[in-house]
């Protein structure tokens, strides 16, 4: 995910077919078979010499005229040899290209058919609409679980005839460790830097909407998805007459409340945006209670527990899409919370122990990544949102080569169509992952060339001096960042064209 805010409807991304439960997010999972490493047959490279390719690349780099550092590595999958490179062993921030490695990590330890399960459980008998015991909302970590999915669970409870609970309403979110925000140094209001837990709802974001009315504004906070628009009281919004910052938040942890304020001068006549939620379990509990009440199910106040009570049995369950569909969506839309959830879940499966947090889980992924040629890599998260991660272009390209052009990762990468000057598609295929932070841009993937062996590559650019000098309060749109990113990406496309046609 870039440093700019992005929103989208999860239901527009995934079409989830009915399927047998293959893996449950509530239970320990046996390790999947390792990702197959495709053998690379020996073959003599075809095309320009390494020196000629690198000289042509230097001319493109000089013409681009952007500031900062650039590194790249290109490997021929026919023989595993690097056919061109520049500062290929220099550690650089990978940005969201890290998600490509996270995807491969998740596929190895969870398998392509793994599904997260969110359940509603009961500890007593259901008689005449009354549950004589506790009702438990148990998260399995599903990063795509949304308000419509929650509404589906409640409809299943109504089908069972449930209308009353005599015991407690329990919330269990301990399938994964709780992380208050992915990168603490990021501004508080960024929707792509939410909390992560075992019970996630709407990417752990709340929808803020404003509309001018008379001399003031109508402000609302809700958990909308499709036709469901439950209002949210856990997160509130008020106006401020300050000029900056645009958003501020105060967390009342004792009551689980999140009090936002917005600079009135920054609001137009109307608008909306998603804001991150930190109290993920309280958010899910409130929305569930609201939807249940609308469906005629009365619930007591929620109680948060670390363990599911003995004897609790499922009453209704929601299955996520299979893992390959989840990571395909993650790679296409670069959703940070999805990357962190699948990375944490893979580490939990790898070690049969709960990771203590993102950095601990990333350390486990680093250890695994050594086996695919990434000996100099140091991830600190699974999404690439932190600029503290370091990867070399050589490591990234080598990892793609070791995972195999015909392995499980490449088909999940985004198909990108580059155009010639005349507007026609370029005569080669490109499946790749982009990565963008302010003054950081990266690209890695596979190039398919007619009549030639496929290539794998990684190219990384960064101006960390300019990134580190971003004025406080301007992290959303720092001066010069948009133009820098445009020049960097254009250069990356030109390098891909060079390698595809000349290597």
């Amino acid at each position: 995910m870039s440093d700019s805010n992005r929103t989208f409807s999860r239901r527009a991304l995934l079409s989830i077919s009915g399927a047998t439960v293959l893996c449950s997010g509530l239970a320990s999972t046996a390790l999947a078979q390792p990702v197959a490493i495709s053998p690379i047959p020996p073959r003599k490279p075809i095309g320009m010499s390494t020196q000629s390719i690198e000289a042509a690349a230097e001319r493109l780099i000089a013409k681009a005229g952007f500031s900062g550092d650039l590194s790249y590595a290109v490997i021929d999958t026919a023989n595993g040899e690097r056919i061109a490179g520049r500062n290929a062993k220099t550690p650089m921030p990978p940005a969201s290209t890290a998600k490509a490695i996270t995807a491969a990590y998740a596929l190895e330890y969870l398998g392509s058919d793994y599904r997260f399960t969110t359940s509603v459980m009961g500890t007593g008998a259901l008689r005449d609409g009354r549950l004589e015991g506790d009702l438990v909302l148990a998260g399995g970590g599903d990063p795509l679980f949304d308000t419509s999915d929650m509404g589906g669970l409640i409809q299943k409870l109504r089908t069972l005839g449930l209308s009353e609970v005599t015991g407690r309403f329990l919330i269990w979110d301990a399938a994964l460790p709780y992380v208050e925000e992915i990168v603490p140094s990021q501004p508080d209001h960024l929707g792509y830097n939410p909390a992560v837990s075992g019970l996630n709802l709407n990417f752990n974001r709340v929808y803020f909407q404003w509309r001018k009315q008379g001399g003031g504004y109508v402000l609302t906070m809700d958990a909308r998805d499709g036709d469901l628009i439950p209002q949210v009281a856990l997160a509130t919004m008020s106006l401020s007459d300050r000029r900056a910052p645009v958003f501020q938040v105060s967390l009342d942890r004792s009551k689980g409340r999140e009090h936002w304020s917005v600079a009135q001068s920054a609001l137009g006549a109307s608008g909306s945006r998603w804001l991150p939620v930190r109290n993920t379990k309280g958010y899910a509990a409130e929305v569930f209670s609201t939807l249940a009440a609308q469906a005629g199910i009365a619930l007591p106040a929620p109680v948060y527990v670390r363990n599911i009570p003995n004897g609790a049995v499922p009453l209704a369950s929601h299955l996520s899409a299979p893992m390959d569909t989840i990571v395909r969506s993650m790679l296409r839309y670069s959703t940070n919370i999805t990357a962190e959830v699948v990375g944490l879940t893979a580490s939990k499966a790898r070690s049969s122990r709960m990771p203590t947090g993102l950095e601990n889980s990333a350390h486990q992924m680093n250890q695994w990544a050594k086996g695919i040629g990434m000996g100099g890599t140091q991830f600190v998260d699974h999404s690439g949102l932190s600029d503290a991660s370091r990867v070399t272009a050589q490591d990234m390209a080598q990892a793609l080569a070791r995972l195999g052009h015909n392995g499980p990762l490449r088909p999940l990468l985004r198909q990108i169509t580059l155009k010639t000057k005349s507007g026609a598609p370029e005569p080669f295929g490109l499946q790749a992952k982009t990565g963008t932070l302010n003054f950081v841009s990266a690209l890695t993937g596979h190039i398919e060339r007619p009549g030639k062996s496929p290539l794998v590559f990684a190219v990384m650019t960064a101006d960390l001096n300019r990134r580190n000098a971003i004025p406080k309060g301007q992290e959303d749109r720092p001066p010069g960042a948009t133009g820098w990113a445009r020049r960097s990406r254009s250069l990356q496309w030109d390098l891909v064209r060079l390698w595809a046609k000349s290597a």
Side-chain angles (χ1 to χ4, degrees):
M1 175 71 72
S2 72
D3 280 351
S4 61
N5 191 41
R6 301 178 184 176
T7 62
F8 57 93
S9 169
R10 195 272 297 170
R11 289 198 171 275
L13 312 182
L14 303 177
S15 175
I16 304 176
S17 60
T20 304
V21 182
L22 298 176
C23 293
S24 170
L26 296 176
S28 297
T29 311
L31 295 186
Q33 292 299 313
V35 173
I37 304 299
S38 299
I40 302 175
R43 178 176 169 182
K44 185 178 180 180
I46 302 173
M48 293 170 54
S49 68
T50 293
Q51 293 78 6
S52 296
I53 294 171
E54 292 175 348
E58 288 302 315
R59 291 191 290 271
L60 291 173
I61 294 167
K63 184 179 178 181
F66 79 103
S67 63
D69 300 316
L70 183 146
S71 66
Y72 70 78
V74 188
I75 293 176
D76 190 332
T77 62
N79 53 24
E81 292 183 1
R82 195 180 86 184
I83 60 173
R86 182 184 197 268
N87 300 327
K89 295 184 179 181
T90 299
M92 303 271 280
S96 283
T97 61
K99 293 182 176 75
I101 304 305
T102 298
Y105 182 57
L107 291 172
E108 173 160 349
Y109 287 105
L110 301 174
S112 61
D113 293 326
Y114 180 93
R115 295 173 185 259
F116 296 94
T117 303
T118 306
S119 295
V120 181
M121 312 177 81
T123 62
L126 180 60
R127 296 189 181 93
D128 299 325
R130 291 163 54 93
L131 177 64
E132 297 175 352
D134 298 332
L135 188 75
V136 187
L137 174 60
D142 187 354
L144 305 179
F145 189 67
D146 61 23
T147 297
S148 293
D149 297 328
M150 186 173 277
L153 286 175
I154 290 169
Q155 287 304 311
K156 291 177 181 179
L157 297 177
R158 286 297 297 148
T159 300
L160 294 175
L162 179 66
S163 61
E164 182 183 357
V165 175
T166 63
R168 300 168 296 170
F169 174 38
L170 305 180
I171 307 295
W172 183 77
D173 71 339
L176 292 176
Y178 170 74
V179 179
E180 188 169 278
E181 51 190 327
I182 298 171
V183 181
S185 61
Q186 293 266 4
D188 292 327
H189 66 279
L190 300 179
Y192 55 78
N193 185 32
V196 181
S197 79
L199 181 56
N200 306 296
L201 179 66
N202 299 329
F203 301 102
N204 291 335
R205 302 174 307 170
V206 63
Y207 190 76
F208 166 49
Q209 188 171 38
W210 65 91
R211 175 173 51 86
K212 198 166 188 178
Q213 182 173 292
Y217 283 88
V218 176
L219 310 177
T220 59
M221 303 281 267
D222 63 59
R224 65 181 56 201
D225 185 61
D227 295 332
L228 298 176
I229 311 179
Q231 298 300 302
V232 172
L234 173 145
T236 59
M237 180 66 73
S238 62
L239 293 173
S240 171
D241 61 2
R242 66 176 182 268
R243 293 184 60 84
V246 174
F247 289 97
Q248 281 187 326
V249 64
S250 174
L251 304 180
D252 184 347
R253 290 182 171 83
S254 64
K255 297 181 179 179
R257 300 287 182 177
E258 304 179 10
H259 304 291
W260 289 90
S261 65
V262 60
Q264 183 169 336
S265 61
L267 301 181
S270 63
S272 63
R273 71 174 295 156
W274 290 93
L275 294 170
V277 170
R278 305 302 173 201
N279 182 4
T280 56
K281 59 187 178 184
Y283 179 49
E286 180 183 356
V287 174
F288 191 92
S289 295
T290 298
L291 296 178
Q294 292 173 357
I297 302 175
L299 295 176
V303 176
Y304 307 104
V305 295
R306 294 297 302 168
N307 297 291
I308 297 174
N310 292 331
V313 296
L315 300 175
S317 296
H318 171 79
L319 297 182
S320 74
M323 183 57 62
D324 57 356
T325 302
I326 289 174
V327 298
R328 185 193 301 274
S329 170
M330 174 192 76
L331 294 169
R332 173 66 178 84
Y333 295 96
S334 214
T335 41
N336 295 321
I337 186 174
T338 304
E340 303 304 349
V341 165
V342 301
L344 286 165
T345 306
S347 292
K348 180 181 174 182
R350 178 179 184 266
S351 65
S352 299
R353 291 184 298 178
M354 183 75 75
T356 58
L358 295 185
E359 193 164 353
N360 171 260
S361 183
H363 175 72
Q364 293 194 51
M365 189 168 79
N366 292 335
Q367 297 300 112
W368 166 81
K370 290 180 180 179
I372 54 171
M374 302 188 78
T377 291
Q378 290 296 324
F379 292 114
V380 300
D381 59 24
H382 298 288
S383 63
L385 184 58
S386 172
D387 62 7
S389 289
R390 290 293 182 270
V391 175
T392 70
Q394 176 73 19
D395 275 9
M396 186 68 82
Q398 190 163 282
L400 295 189
R402 291 285 300 276
L403 290 167
H405 182 71
N406 296 319
L409 177 61
R410 182 184 61 83
L412 304 179
L413 294 169
R414 179 185 174 189
Q415 185 77 45
I416 299 173
T417 301
L418 298 184
K419 299 294 184 67
T420 64
K421 291 182 179 179
S422 66
E426 290 280 11
F428 58 83
L430 174 62
Q431 288 177 281
K433 180 71 188 82
T434 60
T436 307
L437 298 171
N438 288 325
F439 298 109
V440 175
S441 180
L443 180 70
T444 187
H446 296 250
I447 302 172
E448 291 213 62
R449 307 173 298 164
K452 296 183 180 180
S453 56
L455 306 175
V456 290
F457 71 93
V459 54
M460 299 179 180
T461 61
D463 190 336
L464 295 182
N465 289 333
R466 293 183 71 179
R467 179 172 175 82
N468 294 334
I470 294 173
K472 186 172 178 59
Q474 297 186 29
E475 295 90 348
D476 258 355
R477 294 182 179 88
T482 300
W484 186 93
R486 184 171 54 249
R487 291 190 295 275
S488 178
R489 189 68 73 205
S490 179
L491 172 58
Q492 290 166 19
W493 299 141
D494 286 343
L495 290 171
V496 167
R497 290 184 177 95
L498 169 67
W499 300 328
K501 297 174 183 178
S502 303

